[in-house]
Amino acid sequence: MPVAACRRGRWLHVASVAGRTVCSALQMTADNLIAQGQRHEQNREFAAAAESYLRAFELAPTDGRLPWEAARLYLYFVPDAALAVRWFEAALPLLDNPFMARDTRYHLGLAHTFLSDDARAAVRFEEVLADTPSHVLACIELGKLLTRRGDHARAKDLLQQAVLHNNMRSTLPEMFPDGQKGSGHAHALAWMNLGRLALVAGDDEALGQTAVTHLLEDLDDHARGMTLANEARAAGKPHSAIVALDGLLARYPDHENGGELWFAIALDDLKRLDEVVEMATSIAADDPDWAARMVSEVLRRDSAHPAALAFRPAAHPS
């Protein structure tokens, strides 16, 4: 064999070995950075974890999971929605798993929502639903967005679809907007936003009553019932607020905040003095002090109110 050829062959062999060694060293470094990121996550150092995953991505630029993990942290834990968009977009073309790609589009829609970019958010949610019409959270988020836009008919349809499809847990992304997991949370989101559509954005009393009933009976969620009442009142819809409170107080008659809000709305917003006296009469035996206060407030507004003047508080037990 000629000397030149022999030397060339030895050089190619050495270069090949060196290349494998460098590649292996880079992979080890990327693996170390991933492990470092995981340790940061365990310590709730989320920004540092995201930086570790992105440094690993520089060394392993075909691994779409790395920018995806960084984007997840930026969206839900840091939070920085703009960086979440950047790195979910970087991950998307690298993802071979169609289910992960679909949920990445959902996360992108949510990130755009956090950035108040409803146009881009709608595009991403529509992409998800074109692929998987039963994607519960995409139905909910696009329903919320369309409620803001005033497209109440389609918003209602999407939110009702979310309720119907909620038993399909496989359609739910890994992480929820507030870090919770499970179909019970999605159920609450769907009914809460149907309640908002009906009682705050629109005037659908029947749908509002149904939403409140499901929140209270299915989920025992009196806090969301109160939220609907407060939001309806703030939107200048005291009648809708009363719808929510009537449902709340039917299930939780001793709910103090609910009773106070019902009293304030009936007395000052709706001027339903007769109803306030009727309520006072109905609770007088169980809560004479509260009943007396209600009647006193009626008389303060109408000193000649006949039913209030005729009211006799129950005697305190001796």
Side-chain angles (χ1 to χ4, degrees):
M1 179 184 294
V3 174
C6 180
R7 287 175 178 171
R8 182 172 179 271
R10 289 178 61 192
W11 167 249
L12 287 175
H13 175 71
V14 171
S16 175
V17 171
R20 289 199 299 271
T21 302
V22 170
C23 182
S24 176
L26 287 176
Q27 186 58 48
M28 287 180 61
T29 304
D31 289 343
N32 290 341
L33 287 167
I34 292 168
Q36 181 185 79
Q38 291 168 341
R39 288 193 296 273
H40 282 308
E41 272 203 75
Q42 291 170 358
N43 294 327
R44 304 190 65 79
E45 298 163 349
F46 299 119
E51 290 172 8
S52 294
Y53 295 141
L54 292 176
R55 287 170 60 200
F57 182 51
E58 292 176 2
L59 301 175
T62 61
D63 188 345
R65 185 75 189 189
L66 296 172
W68 193 97
E69 290 291 349
R72 173 182 62 84
L73 294 171
Y74 283 129
L75 183 58
Y76 295 112
F77 296 100
V78 173
D80 187 325
L83 285 176
V85 168
R86 175 182 174 183
W87 294 113
F88 277 133
E89 292 283 9
L92 192 56
L94 302 174
L95 298 174
D96 295 327
N97 185 322
F99 301 105
M100 192 171 181
R102 177 204 63 200
D103 285 347
T104 299
R105 291 183 172 89
Y106 166 79
H107 294 307
L108 276 165
L110 199 62
H112 285 305
T113 298
F114 292 166
L115 293 168
S116 300
D117 190 345
D118 280 0
R120 286 190 172 89
V123 168
R124 290 304 188 180
F125 294 138
E126 294 281 15
E127 288 174 351
V128 173
L129 293 174
D131 175 72
T132 309
S134 59
H135 194 288
V136 174
L137 292 185
C139 286
I140 293 172
E141 292 300 330
L142 186 56
K144 289 164 60 178
L145 189 155
L146 293 174
T147 298
R148 293 194 296 274
R149 283 187 178 175
D151 187 351
H152 293 179
R154 189 167 179 228
K156 179 180 177 180
D157 180 59
L158 284 165
L159 292 167
Q160 289 177 326
Q161 284 184 48
V163 172
L164 292 173
H165 294 305
N166 186 50
N167 62 332
M168 301 173 66
R169 290 179 62 89
S170 63
T171 68
L172 302 182
E174 181 179 339
M175 296 299 300
F176 284 83
D178 59 3
Q180 297 187 44
K181 297 182 179 182
S183 62
H185 176 63
H187 190 66
L189 284 178
W191 280 115
M192 182 65 180
N193 285 288
L194 278 166
R196 285 190 170 119
L197 173 64
L199 300 177
V200 181
D203 294 290
D204 189 336
E205 184 174 313
L207 178 60
Q209 288 174 334
T210 301
V212 171
T213 296
H214 280 284
L215 287 170
L216 298 175
E217 295 185 1
D218 299 354
L219 300 160
D220 197 28
D221 195 342
H222 59 87
R224 281 190 168 95
M226 279 295 297
T227 297
L228 282 176
N230 279 308
E231 289 182 2
R233 189 187 191 196
K237 296 189 173 182
H239 292 278
S240 294
I242 289 291
V243 169
L245 290 170
D246 283 345
L248 177 72
L249 293 170
R251 186 169 178 83
Y252 305 97
D254 297 326
H255 196 288
E256 185 174 344
N257 290 338
E260 288 276 3
L261 185 57
W262 185 96
F263 180 42
I265 294 172
L267 201 62
D268 295 323
D269 298 3
L270 299 176
K271 315 298 183 188
R272 293 181 178 177
L273 304 187
D274 291 345
E275 287 187 28
V276 173
V277 176
E278 288 175 12
M279 176 69 78
T281 302
S282 70
I283 67 170
D286 296 322
D287 196 342
D289 291 338
W290 176 231
R293 178 190 161 196
M294 294 173 76
V295 172
S296 175
E297 290 297 325
V298 170
L299 290 171
R300 195 161 67 84
R301 289 159 177 78
D302 180 359
S303 59
H305 192 281
L309 289 171
F311 175 80
R312 294 290 181 270
H316 284 278
S318 56

